[in-house]
Amino acid sequence: MTDPAPPKLPGRLSGRRLLARGVILFEAVWPALWPPLAIIGLFLCAALLNLPALLPASTQVALLALVGLAVVGSLLWGLRSIRLPDDRAADRRLETNSGLIHRPLAVLSDKPANADPVGLALWKAHEARAISQISRLQVGLPRPGLARRDPRALRHGLLLAVLACLGIANTDAPSRLYAAVTPALPAEPGAPATELQAWITPPAYTRIAPIFLKADTASVSVPAGSHLVVNVSGGSTPPTLVLNDRTGPFTELDHNSFQAEWDLTRGGLLTVKRDGSSLASWKLTVVVDQPPTVAWGDKPGRPPSGQQTRLPWQVADDYGVTALQAELHLKDRPEAPPLIVPIPLPGGSPRSAHGVNLADLTANPWAGLPVVGRLLAHDATGQTGTSAEASFDLAERPFHNPIAQALIAARKSLSVQPDDRGDALETLDGLMQRPEMFAGDIGAFLNLSSIYYDLVRNRADSAVPESQDAMWQLAVHMEDGQTEQSARALEQARQAARDAMDKAQQQPDEKTRQELAKKLEELRQAIDRHIRALMDQARRDNSIMPFDPKAMQLSDRDMQRMAQQAEQAAKQGRMADAQQRMAQLEKMLDQLRNARAQGNDSKQANSKRQRGKTQQSVVQDLIERQGGLLDHAQRRADSGPSTTDPNADRAADSRVQQALRRALGELMQQFTDLSGEASPGLGQADQAMRDSATQLNQGQDQQARESQQQAIAALQKGNREMGQAMAKMGQQPGQGDEGQDGQDGSEGMMGMMMPDGQRGGGRGNGPLPGSPDQTDPNGRDPLGRYNQGNSTDNADVAVPEQRERQRTQAIQEELRRRGADQERPQQELDYINRLLKQF
């Protein structure tokens, strides 16, 4: 008989068994997990209270290691004896919790010992009864038994402590937990990152700021001669600098810093390499400096009036012209060494400029001769630009003295043919044959003899220029010294007439009377020659307007009349009348001599007055420019909001205001040095200008305009004060360039030496010198000058056009002189350049 088949177990029993095994396993594992969980709970409380972060990094690491070891050790110790439960243990748990007796679940796995039919039937009934009880199986809740191991319930206190610490940490809990498990240990120094810096410094003469090469810069253009510097920091391998086929090493500054320097003379691909790789690269273009360009502005040469040679020029260069000069060659003798005329440049080294240089070459032996000239411009690198050649005549000084004219002619002949001295010697010999032309000037005659014999005997090449210089000095002496010669001759004739008068009084006979008449005639001729000499000198000094040549033949009416009356009285034997006329003539000659002496003494005072007039003109210019600044500020206020930047406009106005104030400060110092007293009005203008600049910088437009109006009013007041100070020095404000006493300060002298035709009316009915009716109703005074009156307002002065041109030229030359002074502040140089653009 075969064994009975095992009963078919219901699916519910399998599930109950699995659940029972899980409960049994939990009851065994949970007591083993509680010790490591308690350790973790304590660490959590400390971490939430941020206690580990307060420990040193090494101590914090040790604490973490200790906690980890304790957790792992306690966990392993608790799990050492735990085994997985089987079905038998699960059945026992089910039977116990379900209240089943006699282990009915064992029937399901057992089998009868005897397989007889009765026994099998009984066994089947027993199995059926056991299976019917499966529906009553209960697993029950786990009972780990922690209460027996923790009778004080410390586990609940630990849980409450963790919850309390979470409340304390609040939102900082995540960061505190992270800080507790990540101690800040000192990191090992890593390899420094590679950093590259490169810049190019252009030459100083270019006035270009250094150019920094950035990583995103693909190409750059630099002037030739620029200096390249490359610094590489980081890494221990020295880099290499490569420019096309040229390779250069770096200099080691320290263990991880390197530097390379090159002067750039050509362009190409510039690359910084290290260990075969490229750190950076740029495409360089080296711009070669071009020579300056220079040309004549217009035709150079002798101006229509004046004694200065006109040299117009215009120059341009990439980075500025440093020097400009004119190179002149004598047209009739091109092999001679050239004459170099330096030309000052405005602003030091302008990139583009033009102007006219007026060179006084009258003392040069080539004066009056044709020359071929060209302009030479130099830049900072030594390159030279050359203009086209131009032919013109050098200006020369006009001479009226015949001896001076002959000397200048001989001088010119030696300049053209220095090896042929025949013409010059012939001219000098002709002068030596006529010593009477020197009017008793023995020194001049001896000087002429020395020049003649030096040319005859000295055959050295240096004798010609030395003789030419001596000829010039002698010609100037004869021209400018003609007045002194005529004065000496007049004094001699005057003494001779005085002696003849005394002799005629002592011996009243026909012979003495004829002798007296002769001496008086000689005196009259000496007066005529002296007046001519004075007029020539006045014309050369621009003291009077040019005269009619016919009027030059006339002498002063009053002195001529007195001399003629004395001569006639002497011939007729009326010695008393002759003596009376002679006394009157003596008095007039004394007045002439005194007036001439006063004219010489007043030259220095006239120079001061001229400087004062120039300074007043500068004040007028400041008033105009200050008014323009006020107009600009008013337009900005009237226009309201615009697209332009008002701050930029204010900053520009402030810079202009500062420049005007600096110009005013220099003017105040110059006028104080000139007059010995300060102008309160100019001081008030300086304060108002300072307030205006400050208010512009602060954006206070309304206050700035008020300060500018105050500055204009103060400048006008200062101008009047300057006129009053000039009046104290002897010049009435508002007069022309000549001043109250004429340009040479000799109006009294010139009034006496004026010929009859020039003093108004016809010959014989003109007013006496110095009379109040000496002026001309046509607007000219007795000296031919424009009658400018005594007004104190400069705006009412009627200045002749020629005078205005001369004054403008003088101001322009002064501005150019100051602009060439590179020691002046840059803002002042910019202001001077702006002024020069107006000419």
Side-chain angles (χ1 to χ4, degrees), residues 658-670:
Q658 293 286 4
L660 292 178
R661 186 183 174 213
R662 282 191 296 272
L664 175 61
E666 182 175 351
L667 174 65
M668 292 169 61
Q669 182 64 44
Q670 292 178 357

Side-chain angles (χ1 to χ4, degrees), residues 296-332:
W296 295 103
D298 50 30
K299 184 173 178 56
R302 182 183 304 178
S305 61
Q307 302 178 15
Q308 294 177 315
T309 301
R310 189 171 179 270
L311 301 175
W313 54 269
Q314 54 185 12
V315 294
D317 186 65
D318 299 339
Y319 306 108
V321 180
T322 58
L324 176 64
Q325 63 186 25
E327 183 181 271
L328 308 180
H329 291 267
L330 191 60
K331 190 172 185 180
D332 295 331

Side-chain angles (χ1 to χ4, degrees), residues 26-37:
F26 176 76
E27 291 176 347
V29 171
W30 180 246
L33 292 178
W34 179 245
L37 290 176

Side-chain angles (χ1 to χ4, degrees), residues 455 471 814:
L455 283 175
M471 290 178 187
E814 177 64 18

Side-chain angles (χ1 to χ4, degrees), residues 606-636:
N606 181 70
S607 176
K608 285 188 176 182
R609 292 193 296 271
Q610 182 64 29
R611 290 164 56 192
K613 290 297 297 180
T614 302
Q615 292 171 2
Q616 276 194 294
S617 300
V618 175
V619 174
Q620 291 289 346
D621 181 69
L622 287 175
I623 293 174
E624 294 177 3
R625 294 183 181 278
Q626 188 66 51
L629 192 63
L630 176 60
D631 293 341
H632 184 263
Q634 189 63 46
R635 286 194 298 271
R636 185 171 63 247

Side-chain angles (χ1 to χ4, degrees), residues 657-734:
Q657 186 67 85
Q658 293 286 4
L660 292 178
R661 186 183 174 213
R662 282 191 296 272
L664 175 61
E666 182 175 351
L667 174 65
M668 292 169 61
Q669 182 64 44
Q670 292 178 357
F671 184 75
T672 301
D673 295 341
L674 177 66
S675 62
E677 59 183 67
S679 169
L682 296 183
Q684 295 169 5
D686 178 79
Q687 178 64 37
M689 288 181 178
R690 183 177 66 180
D691 294 342
S692 172
T694 303
Q695 291 156 356
L696 285 171
N697 291 331
Q698 296 175 356
Q700 302 173 358
D701 288 349
Q702 178 63 32
Q703 294 84 342
R705 291 196 298 273
E706 294 175 357
S707 298
Q708 291 167 4
Q709 292 173 351
Q710 296 172 4
I712 293 174
L715 285 172
Q716 293 172 343
K717 176 184 177 183
N719 194 23
R720 292 191 296 270
E721 293 170 350
M722 292 173 67
Q724 295 170 1
M726 290 169 61
K728 295 179 182 179
M729 292 189 295
Q731 175 172 342
Q732 295 296 330

Side-chain angles (χ1 to χ4, degrees), residues 369-405:
L369 297 176
V371 296
V372 177
R374 61 175 184 170
L375 295 173
L376 302 178
H378 308 276
D379 61 10
T381 61
Q383 299 183 101
T384 302
T386 306
S387 71
E389 293 184 345
S391 299
F392 54 92
D393 293 343
L394 296 183
E396 61 179 338
R397 173 181 175 176
F399 288 91
H400 303 87
N401 183 275
I403 298 178
Q405 293 175 347

Side-chain angles (χ1 to χ4, degrees), residues 424-445:
L425 290 174
E426 182 179 355
T427 301
L428 297 179
D429 183 64
L431 293 176
M432 293 177 63
Q433 301 301 321
R434 302 177 61 189
E436 69 278 1
M437 295 179 61
F438 290 84
D441 192 346
I442 304 301
F445 185 79

